[in-house]
Amino acid sequence: MGEFLWFGTMLGASVGFVHFLQFLLTRAGRPGRNFLRHLWHGLWIWALWTLFGAYVLAFWLLGLVLMAISSFLPGKAGVQ
């Protein structure tokens, strides 16, 4: 369980850093914008992704399992 939490945290930190950079790049160079405010928001984005990375990983894995199970159910379930 500890390894899962570490892996999820590292995955969250990686995804969060990419989201942080994307957030800053989309707001860079806009006139009349406060860069320090955007930097602060970007750091919060990174921190929250890092903090909740294990939960996001668990929900992704749960979604993959449920999607695989739904493909075996009769009817309109699953991706076609």
Side-chain angles (χ1 to χ4, degrees):
M1 184 67 178
E3 292 84 10
F4 180 81
L5 290 174
W6 277 111
F7 183 72
T9 301
M10 291 302 185
L11 181 69
S14 302
V15 172
F17 186 71
V18 171
H19 191 180
F20 165 70
L21 290 177
Q22 183 266 337
F23 178 81
L24 286 182
L25 289 176
T26 57
R27 282 151 178 81
R30 291 185 180 178
R33 302 292 178 158
N34 187 353
F35 178 74
L36 289 178
R37 183 176 179 186
H38 292 311
L39 181 65
W40 181 248
H41 287 186
L43 289 174
W44 266 107
I45 288 170
W46 190 12
L48 290 175
W49 266 105
T50 302
L51 181 65
F52 296 113
Y55 294 109
V56 171
L57 177 62
F59 284 128
W60 281 345
L61 293 175
L62 180 64
L64 284 173
V65 169
L66 292 176
M67 190 173 72
I69 291 171
S70 72
S71 67
F72 294 114
L73 297 175
K76 295 182 180 179
V79 178
Q80 296 179 356

